Amino acid sequence: MKVALYARYSSDNQRDASIADQLRMCRLHAEKEGWQIVEEYSDHAISGSSLLRPGIQALIADATRGRFDLILSEAMDRLSRDQEDIAGIYKRMSYADVKIVTLSEGEITSLHVGLKGTMNALFLKDLADKTRRGQRGRVEAGKSGGGNAYGYDVVKQFAPNGEPIRGDRAINAHEADVVRRIFRDYAAGKSAKAIAVALNKEGIPAPTGGAWGFSTINGNPKRGNGILNNEMYIGRLVWNRQRFIKDPDTGKRQARPNPESDWVIQDAPDLRILDDALWNAVKERQKGNAIAQDTDGLKDPALVNTRRRPKYLFSGLTKCACCGGGYSAISATHIGCSTARNKGTCDNRVNIRRDELESRVLNALRSRMLDPKIFAEFCDAYTKEINRLRMESSAHINRAKAEIEKIDKEEQRLMDLYLKEAISIEAVKQRGDQLKARKAELTDFLATATEPPPLLHLSMALEYRKRVQELYETLQSDNEDNRIAAAGVIRSLIEDIVLTPVDGKIEIDVRGDLAGILTIAAQTKNPAGGRGDAQVKMVAGAGFEPAAFRL
């Protein structure tokens, strides 16, 4: 019996020795049973409420590949405390014919999964409730409910019984001076961007230890985050402003606001850094900025979370080669590196006119796309990739069809054996159900399988050149709707535009998806066929350069 061992502990408050202890006990049990240990998996300081753990993911992957026959762990809650996740692990292991055995529960069955899984889920909820009760108690006692804010140090001290005393904070004099400076500068009329640039130039580290950004200072007034919105600076603790819910698909926590009636507010005068006059001056300016934005139509609250069409042709696609940040508007006509202006951590101060950028890129796209040599080279690589996909797709479809034919023959053979009384009705039913399930699975696959993409038509080159010319001409037309549609097509073919400063001028590198234009050309020749599946992303590499070029 080949066996894999798994161990886990959940928080930094525990220790690596816990992993060693769990594995040691599992080894003793495996030795007693005469099992052969083929691998040991572990996760250190990771909660069992999620499967987003490297150790458990490697365990599941190796189990499905048949590397071992049994999983041995200290207890079922080491594998997972989430009811849905433990049921999923059990289901996958049953399919892979891998047993799960724990030192606490023995061999895991569906009964264990149901009862123990519910108990573990209740344990997590109870633990969360107790944690929140403890946090609330600390806040009501004038202490921090958790985490730390810029401007304060965590005070580490212990009770007479050795238990840590949590929630105490002390003002960090240096960081407090930075907080006062930020508030004074903002109240005096400086923008958050200008404040961030000045702090970065002086080498003052941000709360995360990196560079300051204007969002770190501005934050979100409704959520109470950001330097300018932290009420702890005026000696007021606000807790339970928001709650966090874990996304079941990604495992990431998402913030959700709580109603104001659920907030817990407590005065903490010993944590005050700012006087009320300075705080109120900043709040008045924030309120004035919000009103001005709404009045000018720059912000419509009803449209905050809706996707907007890019204002300019290449909005969001331009990037600085020096820092990787985006290029954005610095005036009505020019764009420049956002990082250089917002944070001051990039030295690229070379700008370019927006209309010049668009003209150079469009003219280059047209000339490069219509170059016969480039098109021939691209078509050669494209055809090779399409042929590979055709072979893979055809092989899967043909195998499925062949297996369905075998299932039909076996079903007939079972019926013949039953009629000859060579097999019982129970055996026929059991095997018949298995065949029926497999046949349904294969039929579903064939119903959704993509047919092999077509090869390039002989006249594709002419159609391709025609479509590129049409796109270019449409962008120059007076018809707004046609221009918007053509702009969308052009944007879909470009991955990004990298701008590099060279001797005071800008060099432009365009990277994109030339295969997309073949799809567009193919759709015009056979609209009903819809050859969108034929699109293949071609990336520039050795010996193949059409997907990226420099202007």
Side-chain angles (χ1 to χ4, degrees):
M1 180 73 74
K2 295 182 179 178
V3 61
L5 309 185
Y6 179 79
R8 177 187 65 82
Y9 71 88
S10 60
S11 73
D12 292 326
N13 295 329
Q14 294 173 287
R15 54 197 178 88
D16 284 335
S18 172
I19 294 285
D21 292 340
Q22 292 175 48
L23 292 176
R24 177 172 55 81
M25 296 303 295
C26 288
R27 288 191 204 101
L28 291 174
H29 185 83
E31 183 179 351
K32 178 181 176 182
E33 296 292 336
W35 296 337
Q36 176 190 354
I37 298 174
V38 296
E39 189 59 86
E40 296 179 352
Y41 304 85
S42 62
D43 286 305
H44 300 245
I46 303 179
S47 170
S49 63
S50 169
L51 281 183
L52 299 179
R53 294 173 267 148
I56 196 69
Q57 290 295 329
L59 176 75
I60 294 172
D62 286 349
T64 56
R65 288 195 288 265
R67 191 175 178 193
F68 42 80
D69 310 305
L70 185 145
I71 296 172
L72 179 62
S73 186
E74 180 187 49
M76 200 171 78
D77 60 13
R78 296 301 87 196
L79 295 170
S80 177
R81 287 190 182 275
D82 183 88
Q83 192 170 10
E84 181 183 3
D85 289 343
I86 194 64
I89 294 173
Y90 179 76
K91 188 175 181 180
R92 289 184 179 89
M93 295 306 101
S94 297
Y95 180 77
D97 200 22
V98 174
K99 295 180 180 179
I100 302 176
V101 174
T102 70
L103 302 181
S104 299
E105 295 93 1
E107 183 173 346
I108 300 300
T109 65
S110 56
L111 186 63
H112 288 95
V113 172
L115 295 178
K116 196 79 174 185
T118 301
M119 292 172 63
N120 286 330
L122 290 173
F123 169 81
L124 282 179
K125 185 178 183 305
D126 184 57
L127 180 63
D129 291 342
K130 288 179 178 177
T131 301
R132 291 182 63 79
R133 283 198 298 272
Q135 290 175 330
R136 183 179 187 123
R138 288 199 295 272
V139 171
E140 291 176 345
K143 299 182 178 183
S144 172
N148 193 30
Y150 184 79
Y152 302 94
D153 292 326
V154 175
V155 178
K156 295 183 179 180
Q157 53 185 340
F158 298 89
N161 62 358
E163 287 292 320
I165 300 175
R166 306 181 188 281
D168 286 319
R169 300 290 182 267
I171 295 175
N172 180 307
H174 173 69
E175 292 181 359
D177 288 339
V178 176
V179 170
R180 295 188 191 98
R181 169 183 169 176
I182 291 173
F183 273 79
R184 284 196 299 267
D185 288 348
Y186 189 85
K190 282 190 178 181
S191 67
K193 184 188 299 184
I195 296 171
V197 169
L199 293 173
N200 289 329
K201 281 186 177 179
E202 296 176 29
I204 298 174
T208 57
W212 288 86
F214 66 89
S215 60
T216 307
I217 296 172
N218 271 336
N220 186 324
K222 290 185 178 180
R223 294 184 181 273
N225 56 29
I227 297 293
L228 296 177
N229 305 304
N230 190 345
E231 295 187 47
M232 191 183 293
Y233 296 143
I234 54 171
R236 182 185 301 144
L237 297 172
V238 181
W239 181 78
N240 204 35
R241 193 190 295 263
Q242 60 187 12
R243 66 190 185 279
F244 291 90
I245 299 177
K246 186 171 292 186
D247 187 321
D249 295 322
T250 65
K252 294 182 179 179
R253 299 198 311 160
Q254 302 292 330
R256 302 284 172 82
N258 287 329
E260 194 167 345
S261 58
D262 291 345
W263 297 2
V264 177
I265 302 175
Q266 182 69 36
D267 289 333
D270 57 318
L271 297 179
R272 178 185 282 271
I273 290 177
L274 305 171
D275 58 59
D276 289 337
L278 183 54
W279 172 268
N280 292 333
V282 166
K283 294 295 110 178
E284 285 299 319
R285 186 177 174 215
Q286 284 181 318
K287 189 184 300 182
N289 288 343
I291 293 173
Q293 283 184 324
D294 286 340
T295 303
D296 293 341
L298 298 179
K299 182 178 71 175
D300 182 352
L303 300 176
V304 168
N305 294 320
T306 60
R307 294 181 72 106
R308 294 180 297 173
R309 186 172 63 245
K311 187 174 181 180
Y312 302 105
L313 180 58
F314 298 129
S315 294
L317 298 177
T318 49
K319 290 181 172 55
C320 172
C322 300
C323 67
Y327 258 64
S328 59
I330 59 172
S331 70
T333 58
H334 286 70
I335 60 173
C337 175
S338 302
T339 305
R341 283 153 183 81
N342 294 339
K343 296 185 177 181
T345 55
C346 178
D347 296 328
N348 179 12
R349 291 280 175 172
V350 183
N351 311 321
I352 184 171
R353 287 182 61 92
R354 181 181 287 104
D355 55 359
E356 178 189 349
L357 170 71
E358 293 179 359
S359 176
R360 286 171 64 180
V361 172
L362 286 176
N363 285 326
L365 283 174
R366 183 176 61 153
S367 60
R368 297 284 299 202
M369 283 180 171
L370 297 180
D371 189 311
K373 292 182 180 179
I374 291 179
F375 181 78
E377 186 178 356
F378 174 76
C379 284
D380 179 59
Y382 182 87
T383 303
K384 289 178 181 178
E385 178 65 9
I386 288 296
N387 282 334
R388 185 186 68 79
L389 293 176
R390 284 173 61 86
M391 292 175 63
E392 287 185 359
S393 180
S394 297
H396 292 315
I397 292 174
N398 291 337
R399 278 199 298 268
K401 290 178 178 178
E403 189 173 349
I404 287 178
E405 291 180 2
K406 288 178 63 178
I407 289 174
D408 290 338
K409 291 178 181 179
E410 187 168 353
E411 286 177 335
Q412 184 60 48
R413 186 177 66 84
L414 282 174
M415 186 57 64
D416 292 341
L417 289 173
Y418 172 70
L419 293 175
K420 294 177 182 179
E421 299 183 354
I423 188 172
S424 68
I425 185 64
E426 291 80 8
V428 171
K429 186 178 185 307
Q430 181 181 5
R431 180 56 179 159
D433 289 343
Q434 294 174 350
L435 293 174
K436 184 179 179 181
R438 178 57 178 165
K439 186 174 181 179
E441 183 181 334
L442 293 170
T443 303
D444 289 343
F445 165 74
L446 290 176
T448 58
T450 304
E451 286 295 324
L455 288 174
L456 294 180
H457 192 274
L458 293 176
S459 62
M460 182 62 72
L462 295 176
E463 191 66 33
Y464 169 87
R465 294 166 64 86
K466 175 183 173 184
R467 289 292 290 164
V468 172
Q469 185 63 33
E470 286 178 356
L471 277 175
Y472 181 80
E473 291 172 356
T474 303
L475 282 170
Q476 317 301 320
S477 73
D478 295 329
N479 188 309
E480 178 67 15
D481 291 338
N482 289 345
R483 282 208 315 273
I484 291 173
V489 172
I490 289 291
R491 286 178 60 85
S492 70
L493 302 178
I494 296 175
E495 182 178 335
D496 52 40
I497 301 171
V498 181
L499 307 181
T500 307
V502 178
D503 298 330
K505 296 182 179 180
I506 290 290
E507 284 190 351
I508 305 174
D509 291 287
V510 179
R511 291 185 293 182
D513 180 15
L514 292 186
I517 197 66
L518 293 179
T519 302
I520 296 167
Q523 288 172 341
T524 60
K525 290 182 68 60
N526 183 20
R531 301 190 184 184
D533 292 335
Q535 184 167 333
V536 179
K537 185 66 172 254
M538 307 300 292
V539 181
F544 182 68
E545 299 300 331
F549 53 87
R550 173 164 291 179
L551 312 187

